Amino acid sequence: MSTFLGLPRHRSSTPEEGPLGPVPHADDPLRWGDPFPVAARRALDDAQMRRNLGHATSTIRDKRASVVGEVPDWEALRDTGSAVKGDVMARLPELLAQLEENVTARGGTVHWARDADEANAIVTRIARERAVDEIVKVKSMATQEIGLNEALAEAGIAAVETDLAELIVQLSEDMPSHILVPAIHRNREEIRRLFLARMEGAPDDLGDAPRELAEAARVHLRRKFLSARMAVSGANFGVADSGTLTVVESEGNGRMCLTLPETLVTVMGIEKVVPTFTDLEVFGQLLPRSSTGERMNPYTSLWTGVTPGDGPQDFHLILLDNGRTRALADDVGRAALHCIRCSACLNVCPVYERVGGHAYGSVYPGPIGAVLTPLLTGAGTEDAPHGDANASLPYASTLCGACFDACPVKIDIPSLLVHLRARDVDSRRERTVPTGWDGAMKAASWVMSDGARLGRAEKGTAALRVLAGRKGYVGTLPPPMSAWTASRDLPAPPRQSFRDWWADEHDGNDGDGAAEENA
Amino acid sequence: MSDARTQILGRAREALGADELDVPVPREYRVTGDLAPGSDDVVDLLVDRLVDYRATVHHATTPTVAETVAALIADARTVVVPTGLDVAWRADWVPEVLEDSREEPLDVATLDAAGAVVTAARVACADTGTILLDGEPDQGRRAITLVPDVHVCVLRADQVVHLLPEAIRMLAPHPARPITWISGPSATSDIELSRVEGVHGPRTLHVVIVR
Ligand code: SF4
């Protein structure tokens, strides 16, 4: 079985010089840079990045908490969201066929892509057939994942990112570091410098107020929107029973792309299908409150095939696998496909907040990235190259459980992490030659691979609390955790380990086997 | 192509195995709110949300809609309306009125040069401060509420419901219509996560509520 990754090379970790200093360069959007422990250590030296990130994530955490707190039936909505996604996975083939039938009946064309190369080739062909050499793009994780912009560039087609944060990443030739706000690691002054250096038509006296920066982007992109002939988008949801696709956004750049060009191509991961139109009443509440911490995002667009006289008259939907059926085959890991990409788990994660998104070496960073990336790429199985850096990702967590609590579709990320650690250890047990990071991770992985040992190890963190004493932080830790404590004091672990918490919450039943898949 | 389709669906079936997985879906969340559609309380809640998103709210009665709107668009040179807009709302406007429809659409440059657009709406959700348009003749093509910089949306109080499920269920009989949910003027939170109103969509949203 091949790896379905577009460019299944080993990570290249050659950072390249950009207007804002060195930026990572990815050969493969799902596998780049150093393995997590190495990249994390380097990231910890970047004080500016950590300040930017700390400020941004604490802002969004507060906003999210307040808008979630005002919804009395939030838990009921989460239960439904979780179950709907479980139902989708169970009936995926049938729902995809239904979606295809409805999109086709309404004048759209449906394509299927097994991997990144196939999806990129379809988009390229559609552009070429229409003699288009520049397309406008709505921010989309799926097209990030397949490296569409790079593939189009090779074919001589320019892809213009129109989401503000995505534009910032594109202009700085950087990689995204957050799934909602890809430039979250940049502050206003850095963005001002970047616009002055790289953005056509930026006024010389550009200030660093967010309002001014947004205005500069508006002026820059408006001409492109009004003349674009083809757009490419992702989709937040694809409704099987009506063929309706949905894009949730803020700036109006999405509406521009979805409405004005003659041709629209939407690349959607096959897991994004939902059964019925009324399911949008659930996700329409869960997603905005969890992602931007708003009661509702400014704009949500719904369209079904082609509407004569309104919007693109040439519509293509590409249904993308690229490792999703592989993740589906893991009956525990499958739950990672429930993700609606809200980014709440990133914003609450103590590890993400300290090391930033780039350390994860994938377009999917943070807690969900630490499970989704290895599942999509098959890290820790025979499908992936030996010593695959992605196999270290499931260790990028303290298993504190904050991600699980924040997740609007109740993905039990801590249990998935433990499951993938075990899978990784099992696969390496069969291979005798240790690679570089194998050694670094060995102790941790041995402990994490077994439920009982994990329980003991987490109890051991109670000892750290004692070490930390009244100061409330721990100065140094043994490897591999020393990579963090070397540059930063680790906060004392919470009084309860995740497992103890679980046991308390579940009538003394130890969390072992807590990998209960939420629906 | 059918090759990829067969293979993806085959892999998915294989991944799921032979067992029929039956996942029951609980629906315990609220589908009707405490506030009655069109009531003063539900309208007050909507106004609170709209103001929070920096939309501007105006109140009118059926006979005063035209003059209320006229005051909002007085500075514009041209104003776009969908052909199905209530003609009674269009009395005594100063700017030149340009009609738009699917059959006779205005070009993008004309929309870009227009000072404002005036439309109706299908339904509004008070809880989230959301106005939902479904592209019918009184609301028009999606482009007309996107390109002009000022959007004046006229909403009857009886179109205001409390919760999102109530609004979605009004749209559900016609899911294939092009639908846009609007919650305030366009905005971005991409710079240090601080919300800035006014990016690519209309930078000014006026909502006229008619009781
Ligand atoms: S895993 Fe859950 S919290 Fe994280 S991005 Fe996905 S849906 Fe959001």
Side-chain angles (χ1 to χ4, degrees):
Chain A
M1 225 178 169
S2 64
T3 48
F4 308 109
L5 277 181
L7 298 162
R9 277 172 232 161
H10 271 266
R11 291 175 181 226
S12 118
S13 62
T14 40
E16 295 185 347
E17 210 47 53
L20 301 178
V23 289
H25 171 79
D27 290 330
D28 180 338
L30 289 178
R31 191 188 276 118
W32 47 272
D34 289 314
F36 183 81
V38 180
R41 162 176 240 148
R42 195 175 39 240
L44 287 167
D45 290 338
D46 188 344
Q48 180 67 60
M49 185 275 292
R50 229 172 38 237
R51 262 197 307 277
N52 296 352
L53 208 56
H55 169 70
T57 52
S58 74
T59 306
I60 194 87
R61 279 198 301 269
D62 293 348
K63 283 168 70 182
R64 177 193 162 274
S66 93
V67 297
V68 163
E70 70 181 32
V71 181
D73 52 349
W74 185 252
E75 288 308 315
L77 287 164
R78 287 178 83 210
D79 286 337
T80 305
S82 171
V84 167
K85 284 293 190 172
D87 178 42
V88 166
M89 297 314 143
R91 297 195 287 134
L92 193 58
E94 156 200 340
L95 293 173
L96 289 171
Q98 194 187 6
L99 175 66
E100 176 187 43
E101 191 184 313
N102 283 318
V103 170
T104 309
R106 297 281 311 187
T109 307
V110 177
H111 310 258
W112 299 73
R114 281 164 286 206
D115 57 22
D117 284 347
E118 197 162 24
N120 290 334
I122 296 167
V123 181
T124 307
R125 181 168 48 74
I126 294 171
R128 282 211 170 122
E129 283 170 3
R130 287 152 188 77
V132 165
D133 59 8
E134 181 174 283
I135 61 145
V136 286
K137 271 191 71 197
V138 190
K139 173 179 154 26
S140 117
M141 290 310 303
T143 59
Q144 281 277 2
E145 173 193 323
I146 60 177
L148 176 66
N149 294 3
E150 293 72 19
L152 287 172
E154 272 175 41
I157 300 160
V160 179
E161 292 291 353
T162 64
D163 168 80
L164 181 52
E166 202 74 76
L167 177 70
I168 294 164
V169 168
Q170 187 176 45
L171 288 174
S172 55
E173 294 169 43
D174 202 350
M175 288 297 285
S177 69
H178 189 275
I179 58 181
L180 176 73
V181 191
I184 198 167
H185 56 298
R186 298 298 186 192
N187 65 22
R188 59 184 73 190
E189 172 50 28
E190 292 174 293
I191 296 165
R192 186 187 79 91
R193 270 191 285 139
L194 174 69
F195 281 9
L196 285 172
R198 292 272 173 101
M199 197 168 78
E200 245 174 86
D204 294 340
D205 59 348
L206 183 66
D208 69 358
R211 183 170 302 281
E212 263 186 83
L213 296 168
E215 171 64 19
R218 173 184 167 102
V219 172
H220 170 71
L221 288 171
R222 193 156 183 92
R223 204 169 23 91
K224 296 200 184 285
F225 284 134
L226 300 188
S227 62
R229 293 173 48 222
M230 171 168 161
V232 175
S233 81
N236 291 90
F237 308 100
V239 180
D241 79 345
S242 61
T244 306
L245 291 153
T246 311
V247 163
V248 174
E249 53 132 356
S250 294
E251 296 168 12
N253 64 307
R255 291 181 69 195
M256 290 279 181
C257 294
L258 301 170
T259 309
L260 299 183
E262 184 61 18
T263 299
L264 171 64
V265 181
T266 298
V267 183
M268 181 183 114
I270 52 175
E271 83 285 16
K272 293 292 181 78
V273 65
V274 296
T276 68
F277 187 83
T278 43
D279 290 323
L280 297 177
E281 71 190 21
V282 177
F283 297 108
Q285 296 188 72
L286 290 172
L287 180 54
R289 290 185 198 256
S290 301
S291 64
T292 48
E294 294 168 302
R295 297 188 180 103
M296 188 61 83
N297 50 290
Y299 297 131
T300 296
S301 295
L302 280 63
W303 75 99
T304 307
V306 169
T307 303
D310 186 350
Q313 299 299 296
D314 178 24
F315 171 59
H316 300 261
L317 173 65
I318 301 178
L319 295 171
L320 175 73
D321 182 344
N322 206 38
R324 284 160 178 76
T325 50
R326 171 189 286 135
L328 189 68
D330 182 323
D331 59 4
V332 177
R334 176 180 299 165
L337 296 175
H338 299 185
C339 175
I340 57 173
R341 311 276 190 268
C342 73
S343 73
C345 58
L346 280 63
N347 300 330
V348 300
C349 178
V351 176
Y352 175 84
E353 186 177 18
R354 284 170 184 71
V355 305
H358 289 161
Y360 295 80
S362 162
V363 298
Y364 298 111
I368 185 61
V371 295
L372 192 60
T373 305
L375 282 162
L376 291 177
T377 58
T381 72
E382 68 214 17
D383 290 352
H386 176 45
D388 185 349
N390 282 342
S392 69
L393 285 173
Y395 301 94
S397 164
T398 62
L399 303 182
C400 73
C403 47
F404 184 16
D405 292 341
C407 179
V409 290
K410 297 180 80 168
I411 301 175
D412 182 356
I413 297 176
S415 292
L416 294 186
L417 288 163
V418 171
H419 166 74
L420 290 175
R421 288 173 185 186
R423 187 174 90 166
D424 169 55
V425 171
D426 286 347
S427 85
R428 272 178 305 121
R429 208 174 271 134
E430 290 148 24
R431 292 162 168 164
T432 48
V433 190
T435 58
W437 76 268
D438 276 353
M441 281 293 151
K442 206 167 153 196
S445 59
W446 182 78
V447 173
M448 301 302 186
S449 67
D450 174 274
R453 283 198 295 261
L454 176 58
R456 280 198 297 278
E458 281 206 7
K459 291 211 176 71
T461 59
L464 290 178
R465 291 193 54 79
V466 178
L467 261 176
R470 293 235 291 286
K471 289 183 301 184
Y473 58 84
V474 183
T476 51
L477 279 178
M481 306 295 271
S482 57
W484 297 344
T485 53
S487 67
R488 179 187 174 95
D489 292 326
L490 191 69
R495 219 161 277 279
Q496 258 186 328
S497 73
F498 173 70
R499 269 168 187 269
D500 288 343
W501 167 84
W502 180 277
D504 282 356
E505 295 292 304
H506 295 78
D507 303 329
N509 172 8
D510 187 310
D512 205 358
E516 146 194 328
E517 190 189 341
N518 277 271
Chain B
M1 238 184 314
S2 71
D3 221 5
R5 180 185 193 278
T6 312
Q7 217 179 337
I8 292 170
L9 291 175
R11 278 187 208 151
R13 278 190 203 98
E14 198 182 315
L16 291 166
D19 314 343
E20 281 285 309
L21 300 166
D22 187 19
V23 182
V25 177
R27 292 197 189 260
E28 302 295 322
Y29 58 86
R30 297 171 300 163
V31 294
T32 37
D34 303 331
L35 309 180
S39 64
D40 287 348
D41 286 345
V42 85
V43 172
D44 287 349
L45 182 64
L46 176 70
V47 170
D48 175 77
R49 302 312 198 219
L50 288 170
V51 169
D52 191 37
Y53 288 150
R54 305 217 162 67
T56 319
V57 179
H58 310 267
H59 296 278
T61 56
T62 307
T64 64
V65 174
E67 66 186 87
T68 306
V69 175
L72 295 173
I73 58 172
D75 292 342
R77 210 172 46 77
T78 55
V79 58
V80 175
V81 299
T83 43
L85 194 77
D86 192 334
V87 282
W89 296 351
R90 290 163 48 173
D92 304 325
W93 289 2
V94 181
E96 181 191 352
V97 175
L98 305 174
E99 288 204 347
D100 182 279
S101 67
R102 288 182 190 172
E103 295 71 31
E104 290 180 54
L106 299 168
D107 63 28
V108 176
T110 307
L111 294 177
D112 193 30
V117 57
V118 182
T119 71
R122 172 62 48 228
V123 57
C125 167
D127 186 42
T128 58
T130 306
I131 293 166
L132 299 93
L133 310 179
D134 70 359
E136 287 299 283
D138 58 346
Q139 301 150 66
R141 296 187 304 129
R142 287 170 286 172
I144 68 168
T145 52
L146 173 63
V147 179
D149 206 15
V150 176
H151 180 191
V152 180
C153 184
V154 182
L155 191 66
R156 294 191 323 268
D158 64 16
Q159 294 179 301
V160 184
V161 299
H162 185 182
L163 299 179
L164 192 65
E166 295 170 84
I168 299 299
R169 288 168 189 214
M170 290 192 65
L171 301 176
H174 305 284
R177 290 179 183 170
I179 295 167
T180 308
W181 309 1
I182 297 174
S183 307
S186 75
T188 182
S189 305
D190 280 356
I191 299 168
E192 299 178 9
L193 290 178
S194 65
R195 181 167 165 136
V196 173
E197 280 78 20
V199 199
H200 306 296
R203 287 181 284 189
T204 304
L205 174 65
H206 291 292
V207 182
V208 177
I209 299 175
V210 187
R211 283 194 252 213

